Amino acid sequence: AREVRAVVDGLELDRFHLYGQSFGGILAHAYARAVPDGILSLSLSSSPANVPKVEAAAAELVAALVAEGGEENLMERFRLRHQCNTPEMPPPLAAAYAHAADPASGWRGSAAIAGYVVPPADGAALPPALVVRGE
């Protein structure tokens, strides 16, 4: 929530719509719980509410693909079936994969948030929310 607070304060926002995608959705949700004043709406896209469940579901999807066709081209088959069903990998996605594969990038995937689960509601009122997710 500190990161979002810094942006809100830096832009001198009093009332605003808050959007968070992926890890940014975790930050946006935490901020909305901690400081709901001024948020007109909250939109979360592809943000995990329970990372252990997401990891377990992904492992099941991978296992099903291995059972169907072995390990050959597993990453590409996973992409086509569950991420981006286009004949060629779009350049922005290819660049993101290359960046994530580079150890110098610091990218750790979901390992950085491996145990994250949305905390139970504490009775605080949240702004109207739209939650969008993939498959």
Side-chain angles (χ1 to χ4, degrees):
R2 289 187 315 269
E3 296 87 349
V4 179
R5 169 55 60 200
V7 171
V8 169
D9 289 347
L11 295 173
E12 299 179 1
L13 301 174
D14 294 323
R15 295 170 43 89
F16 54 95
H17 299 277
L18 183 56
Y19 171 82
Q21 195 272 327
S22 192
F23 183 70
I26 292 174
L27 298 177
H29 185 257
Y31 180 81
R33 287 177 57 128
V35 190
D37 297 337
I39 301 174
L40 300 171
S41 67
L42 174 64
S43 297
L44 305 176
S45 174
S46 300
S47 297
N50 185 317
V51 172
K53 283 187 178 181
V54 169
E55 292 295 329
E60 288 179 20
L61 296 174
V62 169
L65 285 173
V66 170
E68 282 177 17
E71 303 228 0
E72 188 173 339
N73 294 324
L74 184 58
M75 290 292 291
E76 180 65 2
R77 290 174 29 233
F78 187 89
R79 177 189 74 81
L80 288 168
R81 177 81 57 87
H82 302 292
Q83 288 178 319
C84 182
N85 186 4
T86 59
E88 298 293 324
M89 187 180 297
L93 185 58
Y97 274 35
H99 178 74
D102 178 4
S105 73
W107 171 252
R108 296 182 292 167
S110 62
I113 55 171
Y116 177 78
V117 176
V118 171
D122 57 8
L126 290 174
L130 169 67
V131 179
V132 181
R133 67 170 188 83
E135 191 173 322

